[in-house]
Amino acid sequence: MLKDYFEDRITHHRLQNNPLLEHLRTFAASLKEDAYADVTIQCKVSLLADFGQWLRRSQRTLEHLDEQLVERFINHEQAVRIGRGDLKTFKQFLEHLRSREVIPPRPCCADKSLVAAMLRRYQEHLRSERGLVTSTVIGYQTFIHKFLVERFETGPLLFGELKASDISAFVLRHASTMSPRRAQLMTTALRSFLRFLFRNGELETDLAACVPTVADWRLSTVPKYLTPEEVERVIAACDRRTSTGRRDYAILLLLARLGLRASEVVALQLDDLDWRAGEIIVRGKGLFHDRMPLPCDVGEALTSYLRRDRPHSRTRRVFICRKAPRRGFAGSSTLTTVVRRALERADLHPALKGAHLLRHSLATSMLHFGMTMNEIGEVLRHRLPNTTEIYAKVDFHSLRALAHPWPIGGGQ
């Protein structure tokens, strides 16, 4: 592998007696599998070859290799050309060596405080029993950490001394600095944590009912949506002559035809596509997996993308990054960008520009075509019927039949 990238004598000389030689071969192979360009691999391995020679001259071995040693090399007078991208190369190389157990894992300074221990227990509860995703767990823990530190500081966690006034004071103190949505998330996290304490015997009384509610009336707004014609404009705006356009076309169809959440599209695996049965497995909220029929146009778009445009990669994710390292999308924000750009191409400027806009649009369209709330809830995979209630507000034709006539004349 290295011979493909190093033909000049100078570089070959740097590899002679280099203590990193064998590991540079495996590192170059892994970069090739992640679809890095040959010139990029050459630059990375060349830098690491210099680092290996520095290790040999300074009489250091792989046993000494860690972040601190890399920092010494960077600060060395011969390493004045180290750039921002080179720092990433060192990080990648160290991760590569650790994944192969060549060097020991990076020591982590574990927080041994009582608050940290409690948060670890709560995190395990949220993951194993509640099945919450990582982003939700992190969000909950942020509020609970703040609550525990403010109430108990560095002392013991005497949950038996918790009072309703402690909880309400915390909410009132912080809610005024947040948006209503975030304040609601804070109170939800507190209720969840207090129920956790009660069920585990840390509290004699369930104090979850003592958490104040945040005034942000449910169903007070009308869901933002596009008309069916506008949805088709957004989909048609993809330039299917390009690989990126065909990828975005498949993504938009999954969002518009099946009403998938952005996170569900990101999590989609190759094994989730059952071509024989014409079905797709959706990895939804709370670790639920649902089977849904795969419409013909969605299946054709996915087939075109997988056959023509999906780069070779070790990941089983359906949609992967076009640039190296070719891995699955990092998060839902990538889907938000895809939808926002499609809206701009279609010259549409709705108030809501995220991936959820197409989910709302599908539900609204189904309602206008006469489908019931239960049927809409099944398509959107809502676990509770009242989650679908908000879409009743866009059924203006049915709502007009319920409106009373406005009294006119007679002083009434």
Side-chain angles (χ1 to χ4, degrees):
M1 175 64 69
L2 289 179
K3 193 175 180 181
D4 298 337
Y5 300 109
F6 302 101
E7 299 295 340
D8 59 279
R9 295 180 181 178
I10 298 177
T11 304
H12 184 71
H13 174 72
R14 277 183 278 174
L15 293 173
Q16 291 181 345
N17 301 321
N18 196 305
L20 300 179
L21 179 59
E22 292 302 318
H23 305 296
L24 291 179
R25 287 197 176 99
T26 59
F27 183 59
S30 69
L31 292 175
K32 189 69 175 177
E33 288 183 0
D34 282 336
Y36 279 92
D38 288 353
V39 64
T40 303
I41 298 177
Q42 181 176 353
C43 292
K44 287 178 178 291
V45 178
S46 178
L47 170 68
L48 293 171
D50 287 339
F51 178 53
Q53 291 293 353
W54 179 79
L55 289 176
R56 184 178 60 82
R57 290 193 302 270
S58 58
Q59 297 183 345
R60 293 182 173 92
T61 65
L62 283 175
E63 297 177 356
H64 304 105
L65 188 51
D66 56 13
E67 283 75 9
Q68 287 72 30
L69 191 58
V70 169
E71 187 174 354
R72 291 181 189 176
F73 172 69
I74 292 174
N75 295 330
H76 190 262
E77 61 181 1
Q78 295 183 359
V80 294
R81 294 178 298 169
I82 296 296
R84 183 176 181 181
D86 296 334
L87 296 177
K88 180 181 178 181
T89 296
F90 283 116
K91 180 180 179 181
Q92 286 178 306
F93 187 58
L94 291 176
E95 290 177 352
H96 173 75
L97 294 179
R98 284 171 176 146
S99 68
R100 298 173 63 87
E101 298 183 353
V102 176
I103 61 176
R106 184 175 184 176
C108 57
C109 301
D111 189 347
K112 298 182 180 180
S113 67
L114 295 175
V115 170
M118 174 55 67
L119 288 176
R120 284 192 290 270
R121 285 177 53 198
Y122 180 54
Q123 179 186 46
E124 179 61 25
H125 162 76
L126 294 177
R127 291 185 181 277
S128 61
E129 297 187 30
R130 297 285 308 282
L132 300 183
V133 297
T134 301
S135 58
T136 304
V137 173
I138 293 174
Y140 280 21
Q141 284 191 306
T142 300
F143 294 116
I144 303 308
H145 178 269
K146 183 179 293 186
F147 173 72
L148 293 178
V149 169
E150 289 188 11
R151 175 59 181 81
F152 299 106
E153 297 181 350
T154 58
L157 304 179
L158 302 176
F159 292 116
E161 297 181 0
L162 271 180
K163 302 185 294 293
S165 58
D166 298 326
I167 300 167
S168 58
F170 176 82
V171 173
L172 293 174
R173 185 162 58 251
H174 294 285
S176 60
T177 65
M178 307 174 182
S179 66
R181 245 342 139 72
R182 185 156 180 79
Q184 283 183 329
L185 179 62
M186 175 180 64
T187 56
T188 300
L190 284 172
R191 292 189 190 98
S192 170
F193 181 66
L194 292 170
R195 292 191 189 103
F196 164 74
L197 294 178
F198 178 67
R199 291 170 184 171
N200 285 275
E202 304 280 354
L203 289 175
E204 295 183 359
T205 305
D206 186 1
L207 296 177
C210 300
V211 180
T213 57
V214 177
D216 187 25
W217 307 117
R218 183 175 176 270
L219 307 181
S220 61
T221 59
V222 175
K224 308 297 186 299
Y225 65 93
L226 300 175
T227 65
E229 293 76 16
E230 290 173 332
V231 171
E232 295 307 315
R233 278 175 55 189
V234 172
I235 296 173
C238 295
D239 186 359
R240 294 162 63 186
R241 296 171 297 180
T242 67
S243 57
T244 301
R246 288 188 289 270
R247 182 202 66 183
D248 292 353
Y249 178 71
I251 289 173
L252 292 172
L253 283 179
L254 285 169
L255 297 171
R257 301 287 191 260
L258 297 177
L260 299 192
R261 302 176 180 92
S263 60
E264 295 166 345
V265 176
V266 170
L268 191 63
Q269 306 273 341
L270 293 173
D271 300 325
D272 296 336
L273 301 171
D274 189 341
W275 299 108
R276 291 184 179 274
E279 294 179 337
I280 182 174
I281 297 175
V282 180
R283 301 167 186 265
K285 284 185 175 181
L287 303 182
F288 284 101
H289 289 187
D290 298 289
R291 299 185 74 91
M292 298 186 68
L294 190 61
C296 291
D297 58 345
V298 181
E300 291 173 358
L302 285 171
T303 302
S304 175
Y305 163 72
L306 293 175
R307 286 180 173 175
R308 301 175 59 184
D309 307 301
R310 184 181 184 273
H312 175 73
S313 175
R314 289 175 288 181
T315 181
R316 298 295 293 172
R317 294 272 190 90
V318 171
F319 298 104
I320 60 179
C321 302
R322 293 195 53 77
K323 294 183 179 180
R326 287 177 176 165
R327 302 168 183 168
F329 293 157
S332 302
S333 59
T334 304
L335 273 293
T336 300
T337 302
V338 169
V339 174
R340 182 181 293 113
R341 289 176 178 173
L343 289 168
E344 291 174 356
R345 290 193 299 268
D347 195 24
L348 294 173
H349 309 282
L352 176 65
K353 294 182 174 61
H356 227 65
L357 173 66
L358 295 177
R359 182 175 169 88
H360 287 324
S361 301
L362 174 64
T364 305
S365 177
M366 293 166 62
L367 184 65
H368 288 165
F369 278 102
M371 296 185 69
T372 66
M373 288 294 170
N374 289 336
E375 291 171 332
I376 296 173
E378 287 183 11
V379 173
L380 299 184
R381 289 160 289 107
H382 288 156
R383 303 300 167 191
L384 299 175
N386 59 3
T387 308
T388 319
E389 289 177 1
I390 190 171
Y391 295 109
K393 302 188 69 174
V394 299
D395 189 3
F396 301 120
H397 178 73
S398 299
L399 290 175
R400 287 192 186 98
L402 301 176
H404 294 284
W406 185 261
I408 300 176
Q412 298 180 355

